């Protein structure tokens, strides 16, 4: 196969900080789409029960959502490669306001049919959205700044959860501590944000039009065909790199059910749940920025940076789940009748710190996984498949988790399962880093020995098999 090198136009325009076709601005736009759509969805879910007193309807809707997501997630990379980012993300974003409208309907008619159907439709849309987001976030940035760009995305995305948490907190602030479900206006506010998010998707550029500061295209993409994508999807399930990521993928949304329904949903008053969401998603912003900095700047060696990140997340994860165990032992029967309000000071402090820490760990864990995915390749076509696989397995785990809770599995058992799953993930991610991730210098040397590097040191971008 003939090697070739990308042209590097010398243009002062390339160094303008807010150039529209820069990776920075495009990742920023994807962050805004996710701020408005999954960010607001997270704020609603984080209240426990989708803002309803009885979480059964939300649990069943979320089971349908994540079951569909587990299929569409692995197909989402194919959709991205066939349709491109703009159409993929726009169609996906439209499914979010549909889902929220089903709970507006449920406020007046207690039939679960609409929420469950809307959950399934959102599952399809979410699979498309997250595969596209993953491909853009991991392939557009330069290799030495992927952690920073992941942090940028994660911060903007979780700001949606922060703002979204303020919506139910503000609109339900003066309601009684025993108030059941959120108001219609809460759901309508969420829907408005989500429609705006869909519109943001229409201005996202395809990879071939995104130019890095050094003049190279973010990714060389020739849009694929159905046959090729079908074959590549099947190959993912025998790819040893993806198999090592299975526990981390399964665990990374599994804990949401426990945290949302059985910590925030059970312990706090309605308005305090909204305030806790502000803290939870705010903690994610802090966590993603911290781990992103470590993964990009802590050591010269990319592999060592990754291993250091795994070690940091493992230590924090063990400490935080240990705190969760201490809290859970206070209500092993799953009953908590004396709801905690944020104005209660000392009584509120401990559970608040725990819930904040859960958000911190979630962002660090998922940012780490995305960074590892981004280190495995530098091509949006490949990374869209990897990201789709990750989201597919993640969503299958979430679908199981929602049914585990619906069938009233003891809360202590749920906590232990979550703790074990995340703990198993750490050594497998470390092995993946040791075996599959090369340092930047090694990549250049390999390309040079293969004749894929020109006299200026520019690596050719022909794709290798993975």
């Amino acid at each position: 196969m003939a090697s070739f090198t990308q042209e590097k136009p010398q243009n002062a325009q390339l160094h303008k900080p807010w150039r529209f076709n820069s990776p920075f601005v495009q990742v920023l736009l994807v962050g805004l789409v996710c701020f408005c759509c999954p960010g607001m969805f997270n704020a609603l879910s984080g209240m426990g029960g989708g803002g309803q007193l009885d979480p059964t309807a939300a649990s069943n809707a979320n089971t349908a959502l994540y079951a569909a997501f587990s299929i569409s997630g692995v197909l989402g990379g194919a959709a991205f490669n066939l349709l491109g980012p703009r159409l993929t993300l726009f169609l996906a974003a439209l499914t979010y306001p549909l889902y929220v409208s089903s709970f507006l309907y449920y406020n007046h008619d207690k039939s679960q049919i609409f929420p469950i159907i809307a959950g399934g439709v959102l599952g399809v849309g979410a699979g498309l959205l997250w595969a596209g987001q993953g491909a853009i976030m991991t392939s557009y940035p330069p290799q030495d700044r992927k952690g920073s760009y992941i942090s940028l995305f994660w911060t903007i995305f979780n700001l949606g959860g922060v703002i979204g948490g303020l919506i139910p907190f503000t609109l339900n602030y003066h309601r009684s501590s025993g108030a059941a479900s959120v108001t219609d206006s809460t759901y309508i506010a969420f829907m408005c944000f989500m429609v705006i998010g869909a519109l943001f998707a229409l201005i996202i550029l395809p990879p071939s039009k995104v130019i890095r500061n050094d003049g190279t295209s973010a990714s060389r993409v020739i849009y694929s065909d159905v046959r090729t994508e079908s074959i590549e999807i099947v190959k993912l399930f025998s790819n040893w790199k993806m198999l090592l990521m299975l526990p981390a993928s399964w665990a990374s949304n599994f804990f949401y059910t426990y945290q949302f329904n059985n910590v925030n949903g059970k312990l706090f008053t309605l308005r305090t749940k909204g305030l806790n969401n502000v803290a939870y998603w705010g903690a994610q912003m802090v966590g993603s920025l911290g781990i992103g900095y470590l993964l990009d700047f802590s050591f010269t060696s990319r592999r060592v940076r990754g291993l250091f990140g795994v070690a940091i997340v493992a230590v924090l994860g063990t400490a935080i789940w240990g705190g969760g165990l201490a809290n859970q032992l206070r209500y092993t029967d799953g009953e908590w009748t004396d709801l905690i309000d944020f104005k209660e000071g000392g009584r509120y402090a401990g559970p608040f710190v725990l819930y904040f820490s859960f958000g911190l760990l979630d962002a660090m864990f998922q940012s780490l996984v995305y960074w590892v995915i981004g280190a495995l390749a530098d091509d949006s076509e490949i990374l869209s498949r990897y990201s789709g696989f990750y989201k597919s397995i993640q969503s299958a785990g979430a679908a199981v988790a929602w049914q585990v809770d619906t069938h009233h599995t003891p809360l202590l058992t749920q906590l232990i399962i979550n703790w074990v799953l995340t703990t198993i993930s750490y050594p497998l991610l470390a092995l993946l880093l040791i075996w599959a991730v090369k340092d930047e210098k090694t990549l250049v040397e390999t390309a040079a020995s293969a004749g894929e590097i020109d006299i200026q040191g520019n690596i050719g971008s022909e794709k290798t098999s993975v």
Side-chain angles (χ1 to χ4, degrees), residues 24 26 40 51 67 73 85 159 178 204 212 231 255 263 268 272 282 284 295 324 334 359 404 409 422 457:
F24 176 84
Q26 292 302 306
M40 294 296 158
L159 184 59
I204 292 173
R212 294 172 177 158
I231 293 171
F255 46 68
V263 179
F268 303 98
T272 304
Q284 298 232 358
L295 291 171
V404 165
T409 302
T422 53

Side-chain angles (χ1 to χ4, degrees), residues 67 80 112 135 169 178 181 244 281 303 335:
F80 178 86
Q112 295 187 29
F169 175 69
S181 303
L244 283 175
W281 303 114
R303 182 184 295 159
E335 298 298 324

Side-chain angles (χ1 to χ4, degrees), residues 4-280:
F4 80 99
T5 56
Q6 292 177 327
E7 292 294 328
K8 290 188 175 184
Q10 301 300 315
N11 191 334
Q13 296 290 327
L14 294 177
H15 297 282
K16 290 192 173 181
W18 293 96
R19 178 170 48 86
F20 187 71
N21 65 339
S22 68
F24 176 84
V25 170
Q26 292 302 306
V27 170
L28 182 69
L29 284 173
V30 174
L32 289 173
V33 173
C34 292
F35 166 95
C36 293
C37 294
M40 294 296 158
F41 168 85
N42 283 346
L44 181 61
S45 297
M47 295 192 66
Q52 298 290 320
L53 176 63
D54 182 0
T56 304
S59 293
N60 288 331
N62 282 328
T63 299
L65 190 165
Y66 287 108
F69 196 165
S70 67
I71 298 171
S72 68
V74 76
L75 299 176
F80 178 86
N81 292 334
L82 292 167
L83 301 176
R86 184 176 296 164
L87 186 57
T88 301
L89 294 177
F90 175 68
L91 294 176
L94 291 176
T95 62
Y96 283 84
L98 175 67
Y99 175 82
V100 176
S101 71
S102 72
F103 283 94
L104 177 60
Y105 166 85
Y106 188 78
N107 252 2
H108 302 277
D109 185 336
K110 297 302 180 182
S111 170
Q112 295 187 29
I113 295 175
F114 186 15
I116 290 172
I117 292 173
V121 173
L122 176 56
V124 174
L128 300 179
L129 185 143
W130 284 105
Q133 171 272 340
I136 291 170
M137 188 176 68
T138 56
S139 68
Y140 283 20
Q143 279 285 356
D144 62 345
R145 290 293 179 269
K146 290 197 175 187
S148 302
Y149 278 70
I150 290 170
S151 297
L152 169 68
F153 165 81
W154 213 259
T155 300
I156 298 169
F157 160 50
N158 285 301
L159 184 59
V162 172
I163 302 300
L166 289 172
I167 292 172
F169 175 69
T170 303
L171 296 179
N172 296 278
Y173 183 85
H174 294 292
R175 300 178 74 194
S176 68
S177 61
S181 303
V182 299
T183 60
D184 288 357
S185 58
T186 303
Y187 290 122
I188 292 170
F190 280 128
M191 290 167 63
C192 291
F193 272 102
M194 290 170 173
V195 171
I196 293 170
L199 297 177
F200 275 125
L202 292 175
I203 57 175
I204 292 173
L205 295 177
S208 60
K209 294 185 178 179
V210 179
I211 307 299
R212 294 172 177 158
N213 287 346
D214 64 358
T216 58
S217 295
S219 185
R220 178 177 178 266
V221 173
I222 299 173
Y223 287 115
S224 188
D225 58 79
V226 174
R227 179 179 177 277
T228 299
E229 290 301 324
S230 300
I231 293 171
E232 294 301 325
I233 286 170
V234 173
K235 286 182 179 178
L236 288 172
F237 291 91
S238 60
N239 185 321
W240 65 270
K241 299 173 187 175
M242 296 297 98
L243 294 179
L244 283 175
M245 286 185 58
L246 272 174
S249 302
W250 187 273
S252 57
N253 268 187
F254 198 90
F255 46 68
Y256 279 165
T257 308
Y258 172 78
Q259 294 172 2
F260 294 165
N261 280 5
N262 301 315
V263 179
N264 199 32
K266 284 191 178 293
L267 301 185
F268 303 98
T269 61
L270 182 62
R271 66 181 183 180
T272 304
K273 293 176 189 178
L275 180 62
N276 288 347
N277 269 343
V278 175
Y280 185 93

